[in-house]
Amino acid sequence: MSILLSLEMIAKYPFTKAAKDYVSSLRIDIESLGSPEFARVYERAKFRVEEALERGGKSYEVGDVSVIMDRDLEVELLSFPLALFIVAAIDDDFATRRFGLVEAIRAEKLISKERLEVIEVLATEELGFNLKRVKKKLDKDYELAIHFTDYLREASRFNATEWKLINRYLENGYVNITQRELARLMRSSIERYIITRVKSIGSVRPLDYMREFVKEQKDKLLSRKYKIESSTFGPLPNSWPPCMKALYQNLIKGESLSHFANFAFASFLLNVGISVDDIVNIYSNRSDFDEKVARYQIEHIAGMRGSRTKYTSPSCSTMQTHGLCIEQGRLCGRIKNPLSYVRRFRRFKNQQ
Amino acid sequence: MIERREFGYFTFGQKIMIRHVSLKSPSELFELIKKATPLHMYYSAAHYRYPQAPMEEKVWLGAELIFDIDADHLNLPCKERHDFSICEDCRSMLSPTSERCSTCGSIKVRRTDWVCENCIEAAKGEIHKLLEFLEVDFGISYSKISVNFSGNRGFHTVVNDEGLFTLDQMSRKEITDYILGSGLDFALYGIPIDRRRYPSAKFEYTDGSWRGRLARAAFEVIKDLHKPRIADRMVKLIGNKEYNKLLQIKDSLLKSWLDSPKWDALKPSVTKAIATLAIEEARGMIDSIVTTDIHRLIRLTNTLNGKTGFLAKKLEHDTLDQFNPFTDAVVMPDEPCRVHVIYMPKTRILDEWYGPYKNEYVKIPTYLAVLLLCKGIATIT
């Protein structure tokens, strides 16, 4: 039978089918997890949620084993579905995405310490990746290759140039990857899966024992949102072209954009005179937001760092190539750069 | 799966496409074609739950992976020679770049793209490169790839593979970039293009992927350094002085590259130029917008192209090389037809030479008359 069927394995990877089956065979409902005998399960579930919402997975990232796993494997395992329920009860898009991300980071940490055989089983049986063993020495030694469709599903969203398909060794449909890279791809897949799990619970009312905790978390999220809105420019400016409005709306919803889209949007904002601080704030809604990284990148585009080049926003035809142009510019009239839209709008306003 | 697709068409004289048409069976499609007699007929590469619904309500289920190769995008030198413009008011023939008629001063100038056998051969060359990418790199089997003549200046390639059906837009963009050689990072490949130190990378001509492709193409670039096609671009990249130096050491360079590429034997700037040209030689010149558009409508195979009257013919893999639209895509009748031709370059069709014609009445076979009428360079008398 599968390598995954030990209590240790399912506690490590509670999102697996094996774990789900085991938990439902115990016939414990969420209600009873509030009783004193399960106090540790509830504590651990609260920790998981707070780790995600408040610390953004920082404790997992340092790889502290005592934080990553509770010593009691049963506690560890049961805390996962309870945490899912709590997040569903918090009923906030940002919270759901952040929880998915952080649980996936945790899984990635654990996966990267596993034997290759275990990783293979997890990737193929649980996540449905099409993998094969290879032996190829390039810049590194490669033992694994993944079908390009599974590779692209995750990696087409990564920004680093080494993830671009053209910079990979692709042969007969398979892309060579290292174990570490596979763990990174698995993380994205797990993240999406966990988010789906939370969403499939739907909006639920918090049970009595968790009501106070849920309210606390909701309040914190609310004050964070208020901070973002009060410090930026409020409603969507009319003077922006449709492409930039669309990017802004996606960001506010907390969706992550491609590297190019981020660059296009940030350079646009800088060029219409919005401050670095305000732009950092807009980006703070992303589930993987890290202020230091965001600030560095925006300052780079502003020409305050690195090559000191101040970037203008990409032209309409470049936006089109990247699939970001809305209705092929039908709504914009004849312009060649999104910035022209703003200039024309302002000129028009001034004339009025 | 005809019932999952969206159809669209243009009729004669109408400038707006009739879209969001849903058909239940091939016989419904034939009925529609007979009734509407479309000028151009299109279908969606995508499958939808509700093909007849407006775009945002269609519910996308997946799409074939499609590629468009058009001779027009290949920057061919023959284009300058055979393209031209005509004035829609006084019907005079003008140079291809004219914006205003030199005879009557009108600004209603329409550009006419002509196609010659050289254009078609160049487009075929790109198709061969594309097919190699798809089969060798992407591991897509021959039987799932079909190639069609577009009916004008290029070819469409359709991959019908269930496993690739749900690839999203970003994944398709990555596939496009891969085939176009766009975003290749020399440093990651260990090719020294500046003074930084790189881990020495071992390249083999037998390598797969871009690694082998880059190595083989770079060797060819060095071998063909003296040919104008390479020389012109090389001079643009590194200047005359460096180019001449490179040309002098060409033979010894080739010798040292015989076993495997020796990227570090040259100045970084020269290495970069060779590698850049190697990408340009090895890439497949596909239209990136077509492949990344997951809602694209494409011309229905084996229908007439309203810009030429040629058949947008499905080609078999073994007939691609011999394919010549001026013989194999001609389907109109040959009865003679009297038309007034504004301009037509010398043209061979069904193995017979015609023209050049300039502002004259001629009696020509219907298939040629239709071509000229569709292009808007002749009128029925």
Side-chain angles (χ1 to χ4, degrees), chain A residues 136 138-139 147-149 151-153 155-157 161-174 257-258 320-323 328, chain B residues 135-140 163-164 167-171 173-175 177-178 181-185 188-189 207-211 288-289 292:
Chain A
K136 181 88 189 167
L138 295 166
D139 51 326
H147 194 263
F148 77 91
T149 48
Y151 177 84
L152 288 177
R153 194 173 302 118
S156 64
R157 281 161 180 73
T161 143
E162 57 261 37
W163 286 104
K164 258 194 98 57
L165 189 61
I166 192 170
N167 294 319
R168 312 296 308 200
Y169 195 84
L170 168 68
E171 199 170 32
N172 207 13
Y174 288 82
L257 305 179
S258 71
Q320 207 166 8
T321 331
H322 287 265
Q328 276 138 31
Chain B
E135 286 158 23
V136 181
D137 296 42
F138 289 93
I140 298 167
L164 312 186
L167 283 169
D168 63 9
Q169 201 172 2
M170 285 168 101
S171 300
K173 175 85 172 91
E174 281 294 296
I175 294 172
D177 283 350
Y178 187 91
S182 157
L184 191 146
D185 188 325
L188 284 175
Y189 276 83
D207 274 339
S209 203
W210 264 100
R211 211 175 175 75
S288 67
I289 290 175
T292 45

Side-chain angles (χ1 to χ4, degrees), chain B residues 67 106 227 244:
Chain B
F67 301 93
S106 164
K227 294 191 180 163
N244 286 327

Side-chain angles (χ1 to χ4, degrees), chain A residues 10-21:
Chain A
I10 57 179
K12 274 179 173 176
Y13 308 113
F15 51 83
T16 54
K17 193 174 171 302
K20 207 176 167 188
D21 289 348

